[in-house]
């Protein structure tokens, strides 16, 4: 199966189903009146989410491409008037007017379905008179119709006007909207759309190609890493914390100055903290927040000890109460766990080999491939820097914060693909989270640039390429590819993988037309 033009993979199929389901929930609420259930509390409420069939946002989502078939409960279409205004960078206001005839038809249809299903005292199913239905259910029916019309008319407007919507629509005064007794129903919704990207020439970009090569010392380092990765982690009662230990801890994030008994902004009762040493300048992360001297603060402690850290929440943190705010991180150490490296012989056996020499040869081939990826990544980075410098692009206001976690997740997958150890990936992502919102904006800008370049260069991603990437990640993690695929699907991460492959293929195509200059230096690590 071949996918074209942008992120259109399994996450969006799931999003389609969710949208259809959300749109249908309001449509189906009157069925709860079956068996005489005339519950006055049962009232269809229109919130921004229900009214607009809120879906999990995927950057560059085309809302009109999510409309399911009629058999799947697709929103109905009808007459309507739509006016569009530009209200900011990549932001539009839609004024949607639904005519009285469409409202009446929808109300009659809902009463018809209610009549077919409702069982009221003294009447057989389907025989209740209209006046009695109106007396008992008029308010809930009109509320349901209001929600259905907002869902259907908004979806239709996005489709008809070919809007490339990103993020969640904002229905203005959603909770106050009421169907009029007579005349048309008018409401406004504001949306963010993909910004327009004008690409510079993609030919002739000068790119330096770093040298690659694997030494015996590199192989030794990788052997040590694999021994640790496949070693056993054991609880060490009474142990004093050392560098490279794992500490299981109860961690609370509190507003700075708050009492220890105060309600935490975030709480993890049993999270693991990797204790960094001198080789990493003792810089570590707790719950995704970078702490410069974390290793120094933990080394020498024991289970039962407490550590309190005052810092400022990352500027791009997803929790508004933590984002850029003075916070206290309260850590209570519960257990100290230490990894005993696997014997080399076990590593050889685990790889299905017979001798250490064979193992080192296998590792050299793996490192050769990794160096090649690092080399390619270094050249990709230069192309990205060039494009960022050449393209003037204003992002929709507010988009950066909402998409930061999505981008960080994709970045984590890229680092894993390059062969970075799990704890290093966590540390790198925490450092990226701690970076400025300007940096997060730069990454979003790059996303839109590469998306446009992928369309221009007609980049396609096949199912075989997705499977190949999964197989590579599985090999590096020592897992079975089918098990990893199942996990990625459960977590909705296939989309991230698809975008990663698509962007890399796009950059590869740009490199085919670039001016490559060989340089005698190792590729920098990501």
């Amino acid at each position: 199966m071949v996918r074209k033009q942008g992120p259109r993979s399994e996450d969006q199929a799931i999003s389609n189903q969710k949208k259809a389901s959300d749109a249908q929930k309001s449509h189906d609420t009157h069925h709860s009146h079956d068996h005489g259930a005339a519950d006055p509390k049962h009232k269809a409420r229109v919130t921004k989410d229900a009214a607009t069939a809120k879906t999990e946002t995927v950057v560059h989502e085309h809302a009109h491409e999510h409309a399911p078939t009629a058999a799947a409960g697709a929103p109905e279409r009808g007459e309507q008037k739509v006016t569009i205004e530009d209200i900011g960078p990549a932001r539009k206001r839609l004024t949607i007017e639904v005519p009285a005839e469409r409202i009446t038809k929808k109300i009659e249809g809902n009463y018809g379905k209610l009549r077919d299903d409702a069982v009221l005292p003294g009447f057989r199913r389907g025989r209740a008179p209209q006046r009695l239905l109106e007396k008992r259910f008029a308010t809930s029916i009109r509320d349901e119709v209001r929600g259905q019309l907002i869902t259907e008319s908004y979806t239709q407007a996005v489709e008809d006007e070919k809007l490339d919507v990103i993020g969640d629509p904002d229905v203005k005064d959603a909770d106050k909207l009421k169907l009029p007794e007579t005349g048309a129903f008018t409401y406004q919704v504001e949306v963010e759309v993909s910004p327009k990207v004008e690409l510079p020439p993609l030919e002739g970009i000068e790119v330096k190609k770093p040298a690659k090569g694997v030494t015996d010392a590199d192989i030794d380092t990788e052997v040590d890493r694999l021994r640790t990765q496949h070693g056993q982690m054991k609880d060490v009662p009474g142990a004093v914390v050392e560098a490279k230990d794992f500490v299981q801890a109860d961690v609370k994030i509190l507003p700075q100055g708050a009492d220890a008994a105060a309600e935490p902004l975030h709480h993890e009762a049993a999270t693991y903290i990797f204790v960094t040493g001198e080789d990493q300048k003792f810089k570590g992360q707790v719950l995704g927040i970078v702490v410069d001297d974390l290793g120094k603060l933990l080394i020498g402690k024991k289970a039962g000890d407490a550590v309190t850290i005052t810092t400022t929440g990352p500027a791009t943190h997803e929790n508004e109460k933590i984002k850029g705010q003075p916070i206290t991180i309260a850590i209570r150490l519960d257990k100290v766990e230490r990894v005993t490296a696997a014997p080399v012989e076990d590593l050889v056996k685990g790889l299905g080999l017979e001798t250490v020499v064979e193992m080192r040869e296998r590792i050299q081939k793996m490192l050769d491939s990794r160096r090649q990826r690092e080399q390619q990544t270094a050249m990709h980075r230069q192309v990205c820097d060039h494009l960022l410098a050449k393209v003037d692009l204003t992002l929709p206001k507010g988009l950066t914060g909402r998409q930061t976690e999505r981008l960080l997740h994709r970045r984590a997958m890229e680092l894993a693909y390059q062969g970075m150890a799990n704890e290093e990936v966590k540390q790198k992502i925490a450092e990226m989270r701690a970076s400025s919102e300007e940096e997060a904006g730069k990454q979003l800008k790059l996303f839109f640039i590469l998306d446009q370049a992928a369309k221009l260069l007609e980049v396609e991603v096949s199912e075989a390429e997705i499977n190949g990437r999964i197989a590579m990640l599985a090999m590096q993690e020592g897992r079975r590819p089918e098990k990893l695929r199942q996990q990625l699907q459960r977590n909705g991460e296939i989309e991230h993988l698809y975008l990663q492959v698509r962007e890399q293929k796009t950059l590869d195509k740009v490199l085919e037309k670039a001016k490559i200059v060989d340089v005698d230096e190792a590729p920098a690590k990501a």
Side-chain angles (χ1 to χ4, degrees):
M1 181 176 66
V2 176
R3 300 181 176 92
K4 295 183 180 180
Q5 294 189 356
R8 307 283 183 267
S9 65
E10 299 177 31
D11 269 9
Q12 287 194 319
I14 295 169
S15 189
N16 289 349
Q17 295 169 6
K18 184 176 186 298
K19 185 171 184 179
S21 174
D22 286 349
Q24 192 69 8
K25 283 177 185 175
S26 177
H27 184 72
D28 290 342
T29 50
H30 63 265
H31 289 302
S32 65
H33 298 300
D34 284 0
H35 311 295
D39 183 356
K41 294 181 181 178
H42 179 78
K43 182 175 179 181
R45 295 184 307 153
V46 179
T47 63
K48 290 181 183 179
D49 291 356
T52 60
K54 178 179 176 181
T55 61
E56 284 296 316
T57 305
V58 176
V59 178
H60 210 68
E61 178 187 67
H62 291 266
H64 62 278
E65 293 184 0
H66 293 302
T69 63
E76 296 178 10
R77 297 176 60 84
E79 292 296 322
Q80 63 185 48
K81 179 181 177 182
V82 180
T83 303
I84 301 178
E85 306 170 67
D86 289 321
I87 57 173
R91 188 170 177 84
K92 297 182 182 294
R93 179 186 296 124
L94 282 63
T95 301
I96 301 175
E97 180 181 304
V98 181
E101 294 80 6
R102 185 172 177 182
I103 299 172
T104 301
K105 181 180 177 182
K106 175 65 70 174
I107 291 174
E108 290 175 350
N110 280 24
Y111 271 118
K113 291 174 183 176
L114 176 60
R115 183 182 301 107
D116 291 341
D117 295 334
V119 178
L120 298 180
F123 299 96
R124 288 181 295 166
R125 184 186 294 273
R127 297 294 185 177
Q130 179 75 15
R131 70 179 186 282
L132 182 58
L133 294 176
E134 290 178 356
K135 181 178 179 180
R136 301 188 69 169
F137 304 118
T139 300
S140 61
I141 285 289
R142 291 184 71 82
D143 283 347
E144 290 166 8
V145 168
R146 174 191 58 187
Q148 291 164 3
L149 287 175
I150 291 176
T151 297
E152 294 165 3
S153 60
Y154 166 74
T155 302
Q156 181 179 332
V158 169
E159 178 182 350
D160 291 347
E161 303 298 332
K162 296 180 173 56
L163 297 177
D164 199 3
V165 176
I166 53 179
D168 299 322
D170 178 15
V171 179
K172 309 309 292 182
D173 298 320
D175 294 329
K176 299 178 182 178
L177 291 173
K178 300 289 183 182
L179 286 182
E181 293 297 329
T182 59
F185 171 53
T186 303
Y187 69 96
Q188 292 185 328
V189 56
E190 296 181 1
V191 295
E192 290 169 341
V193 296
S194 293
K196 292 183 179 180
V197 178
E198 294 184 11
L199 293 172
L202 300 179
E203 300 82 14
I205 299 172
E206 184 171 317
V207 176
K208 296 178 180 179
K209 183 178 182 180
K212 64 183 182 70
V214 177
T215 66
D216 285 341
D218 294 329
I219 297 174
D220 291 338
T221 299
E222 184 64 16
V223 169
D224 290 340
R225 188 184 75 82
L226 290 172
R227 289 182 62 207
T228 300
Q229 179 179 319
H230 293 279
Q232 290 188 333
M233 188 159 65
K234 295 182 180 179
D235 181 13
V236 190
V240 173
V241 176
E242 300 176 0
K244 310 298 182 185
D245 282 347
F246 286 85
V247 172
Q248 183 178 308
D250 181 284
V251 181
K252 295 179 181 179
I253 300 179
L254 302 160
Q256 208 170 104
D259 185 88
E263 181 71 20
L265 303 174
H266 187 77
H267 180 208
E268 292 286 345
T271 190
Y272 277 92
I273 302 172
F274 179 68
V275 183
T276 48
E278 192 171 359
D279 58 331
Q280 293 174 282
K281 299 180 181 179
F282 301 101
K283 180 186 286 188
Q285 60 90 17
V286 182
L287 300 183
I289 298 175
V290 173
V291 179
D292 285 337
D293 293 323
L294 182 63
K296 288 183 179 180
L297 294 171
L298 294 175
I299 291 172
K301 301 292 184 182
K302 295 182 179 180
D305 289 346
V307 174
T308 301
I309 301 165
T310 56
T311 186
T312 301
T316 56
H317 200 281
E318 64 277 15
N319 187 330
E320 289 295 330
K321 293 181 179 179
I322 296 175
K323 179 179 179 180
Q325 299 299 313
I327 57 173
T328 296
I329 304 175
I331 304 172
R332 187 193 69 225
L333 283 63
D334 292 334
K335 286 198 299 186
V336 178
E337 299 188 6
R338 193 163 292 159
V339 177
T340 300
V344 174
E345 294 76 14
D346 289 357
L347 199 59
V348 173
K349 189 176 181 180
L351 291 171
L353 304 172
E354 295 183 359
T355 68
V356 173
V357 172
E358 288 178 327
M359 179 191 70
R360 291 181 69 86
E361 289 174 351
R362 171 80 64 84
I363 289 174
Q364 176 158 4
K365 290 180 180 178
M366 183 179 69
L367 290 178
D368 281 335
S369 297
R370 187 183 299 172
R371 287 288 188 274
Q372 188 171 357
R373 291 195 298 273
E374 289 173 353
Q375 182 188 62
Q376 200 76 351
T377 298
M379 293 191 291
H380 284 175
R381 196 176 297 121
Q382 294 173 63
V383 172
C384 290
D385 290 343
H386 174 84
L387 294 175
L388 284 168
K390 294 293 183 180
V391 175
D392 184 20
L393 182 64
T394 302
L395 293 172
K397 185 179 180 181
L399 180 61
T400 301
R402 292 199 307 275
Q403 298 299 337
T404 296
E405 283 303 304
R406 212 171 290 275
L407 292 170
L408 289 175
H409 197 97
R410 287 175 49 213
R411 180 60 174 152
M413 295 186 74
E414 290 170 9
L415 295 173
Y417 174 65
Q418 292 169 26
M420 186 174 286
N422 187 45
E423 289 305 319
E424 292 181 71
V425 171
K426 289 181 181 178
Q427 178 70 17
K428 190 73 176 178
I429 294 303
E431 291 173 2
M432 291 177 65
R433 185 180 281 109
S435 65
S436 65
E437 192 163 345
E438 180 182 355
E439 177 63 24
K442 186 173 78 171
Q443 294 302 314
L444 273 171
K445 178 180 175 182
L446 182 60
F447 170 85
F448 288 114
I449 293 171
L450 293 180
D451 179 66
Q452 184 64 27
K455 293 176 182 177
L456 180 66
L457 298 172
E458 299 181 336
V459 175
E460 300 175 354
V461 178
S462 68
E463 197 68 32
E465 288 171 312
I466 295 294
N467 289 336
R469 183 61 57 90
I470 291 173
M472 175 65 73
L473 288 169
M475 183 181 72
Q476 291 177 173
E477 295 181 13
R479 302 177 59 186
R480 292 167 58 187
E482 60 271 23
K483 292 292 185 182
L484 180 57
R485 172 178 268 279
Q486 289 170 7
Q487 177 189 317
L488 293 173
Q489 288 175 329
R490 281 196 308 270
N491 297 339
E493 294 172 334
I494 296 292
E495 174 73 9
H496 296 293
L497 200 59
Y498 166 76
L499 290 172
Q500 178 188 330
V501 174
R502 182 172 181 258
E503 289 186 355
Q504 289 173 354
K505 288 189 67 176
T506 301
L507 291 166
D508 285 342
K509 280 207 167 190
V510 175
L511 285 177
E512 290 174 5
K513 304 176 182 181
K515 180 182 177 182
I516 307 296
V517 179
D518 291 313
V519 293
D520 188 19
E521 59 185 46
K525 286 194 174 184

